[in-house]
């Protein structure tokens, strides 16, 4: 990989074909969880890709049996106890979404297993999202004790409608790859052993097509997402507010202890 991407050592980068950059979440021992440093690199790399004259298409996938399980417990606990860390991650969370939306290169995700949190942001905001049947998509924010921020409010209703969005985002129910395709949350669902080949074929077509036509079409379509910017900004602000409250501490503790959370049933809001 060229010096252009030297600063992104927490992400595994390679070129599987001409003019295609592949980003792989590579922390398989923890289902490719995202720590603070990885979160920052994942946020910034899209600006670099936008400027890269040697890249016409991007693939995002995960190493091993998972796509990405999202932010690791260490990062979540830092956010819950440190205002400065919380504000840094809040800015990164907003920039991650807007940087992907504004990246001029088409992005294809290969969702190859569990997908949540920051990883799911990339998976669902990709211009073409492809899952294997073993995929398990879940927005775990309410289970953690915070509002569904990240990408939920800006993209889920547009992809699968408000009724399905509320069902899955309020309950935290997981979706299989097949169900995600059925309700329109992802572009395609294929056999697990065909996933990487299918995604590489799509990326190759995109990389060899009319670049101006593809990039301008993406830009135009993403104005739907830009118009939802105020909705997204509110959702991330409310998510971060939740990290300052008591529920997130119980949420993390219950996940570590592999038990059902015991949230206070009373709430002043």
């Amino acid at each position: 990989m060229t010096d252009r991407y030297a600063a992104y050592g927490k992400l595994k980068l390679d070129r599987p074909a001409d003019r295609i950059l592949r980003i792989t979440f590579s922390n398989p021992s923890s289902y490719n969880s995202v720590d603070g440093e990885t979160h920052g690199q994942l946020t910034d790399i899209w600006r670099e890709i936008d400027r890269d004259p040697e890249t016409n298409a991007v693939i995002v996938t995960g190493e091993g049996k998972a796509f990405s399980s999202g932010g690791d417990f260490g990062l979540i606990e830092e956010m819950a106890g440190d205002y400065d860390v919380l504000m840094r991650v809040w800015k990164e969370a907003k920039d991650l979404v807007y940087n992907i939306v504004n990246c001029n290169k088409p992005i294809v995700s290969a969702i190859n297993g569990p997908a949540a949190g920051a990883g799911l942001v990339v998976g669902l905001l990709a211009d073409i999202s492809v899952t294997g049947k073993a995929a398990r998509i879940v927005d775990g924010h309410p289970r953690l004790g915070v509002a569904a921020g990240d990408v939920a409010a800006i993209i889920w209703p547009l992809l699968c409608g408000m009724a399905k969005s509320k069902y899955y985002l309020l309950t935290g129910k997981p979706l299989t790859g097949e169900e995600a395709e059925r309700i329109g949350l992802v572009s395609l669902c294929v056999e697990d052993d065909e996933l990487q080949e299918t995604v590489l074929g799509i990326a190759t077509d995109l990389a060899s097509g009319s670049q101006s036509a593809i990039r301008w079409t993406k830009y135009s379509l993403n104005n739907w997402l830009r118009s939802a910017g105020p909705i997204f900004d509110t959702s991330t602000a409310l998510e971060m507010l939740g990290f300052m409250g008591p529920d997130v501490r119980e949420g993390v503790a219950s996940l570590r202890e592999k038990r059902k959370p015991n949230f206070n049933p009373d709430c002043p809001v």
Side-chain angles (χ1 to χ4, degrees):
M1 196 55 57
T2 63
D3 290 343
R4 175 182 292 276
Y5 296 103
Y8 302 98
K10 298 288 285 187
L11 300 168
K12 185 177 178 180
L13 306 175
D14 72 309
R15 293 194 180 275
D18 187 40
R19 291 188 170 272
I20 296 173
L21 177 69
R22 181 164 54 196
I23 302 171
T24 303
F25 295 108
S26 182
N27 189 9
S29 63
S30 63
Y31 293 95
N32 299 323
S33 63
V34 175
D35 61 15
E37 188 178 358
T38 306
H39 194 268
Q41 292 183 15
L42 185 64
T43 297
D44 293 339
I45 195 170
W46 305 101
R47 294 193 183 106
E48 201 63 57
I49 291 169
D50 184 86
R51 296 188 293 262
D52 183 0
E54 297 178 359
T55 295
N56 286 358
V58 183
I59 293 172
V60 184
T61 192
E63 185 174 341
K65 296 180 179 180
F67 184 71
S68 173
S69 60
D72 66 14
F73 289 150
L75 175 59
I76 293 168
E77 288 168 337
E78 279 189 82
M79 293 168 65
D82 190 313
Y83 180 79
D84 288 340
V85 172
L86 183 65
M87 290 300 97
R88 187 199 80 223
V89 176
W90 180 33
K91 184 178 188 307
E92 288 177 356
K94 292 191 299 178
D95 288 348
L96 173 59
V97 168
Y98 287 125
N99 288 350
I100 293 172
V101 169
N102 292 324
C103 179
N104 65 347
K105 312 298 170 59
I107 303 161
V108 187
S109 60
I111 303 175
N112 55 311
L120 186 58
V121 171
V122 185
L124 295 185
L125 273 183
D127 303 296
I128 297 174
S129 52
V130 187
T131 71
K133 290 185 176 181
R136 184 177 174 87
I137 295 171
V138 62
D139 188 293
H141 287 84
R143 171 64 176 79
L144 186 61
V146 297
D150 283 344
V151 77
I154 196 173
I155 193 71
W156 280 65
L158 190 60
L159 294 175
C160 63
M162 188 62 76
K164 291 295 187 184
S165 296
K166 285 184 175 180
Y167 175 73
Y168 285 107
L169 295 174
L170 295 178
T171 66
K173 300 287 187 183
L175 295 91
T176 64
E178 290 174 292
E179 178 66 4
E181 182 191 37
R182 188 187 73 80
I183 68 173
L185 189 65
V186 299
S187 306
L188 296 171
C189 177
V190 300
E191 297 292 339
D192 295 305
D193 59 1
E194 298 173 1
L195 176 62
Q196 300 300 334
E197 181 181 355
T198 298
V199 166
L200 181 57
I202 293 170
T204 299
D205 288 343
L206 292 169
S208 61
S210 167
Q211 294 308 294
S212 61
I214 290 169
R215 294 175 194 182
W216 286 338
T217 299
K218 171 176 176 170
Y219 182 88
S220 299
L221 289 170
N222 277 2
N223 279 327
W224 286 99
L225 301 177
R226 295 183 185 94
S227 69
I231 298 170
F232 166 66
D233 291 343
T234 300
S235 73
T236 58
L238 293 173
E239 176 192 3
M240 296 302 143
L241 184 61
F243 279 103
M244 303 301 290
D247 280 357
V248 71
R249 290 189 288 274
E250 169 60 15
V252 172
S254 68
L255 287 168
R256 283 193 180 278
E257 296 163 14
K258 295 180 170 49
R259 60 171 173 82
K260 185 177 180 179
N262 184 26
F263 295 127
N264 186 341
D266 297 320
C267 178
V269 298

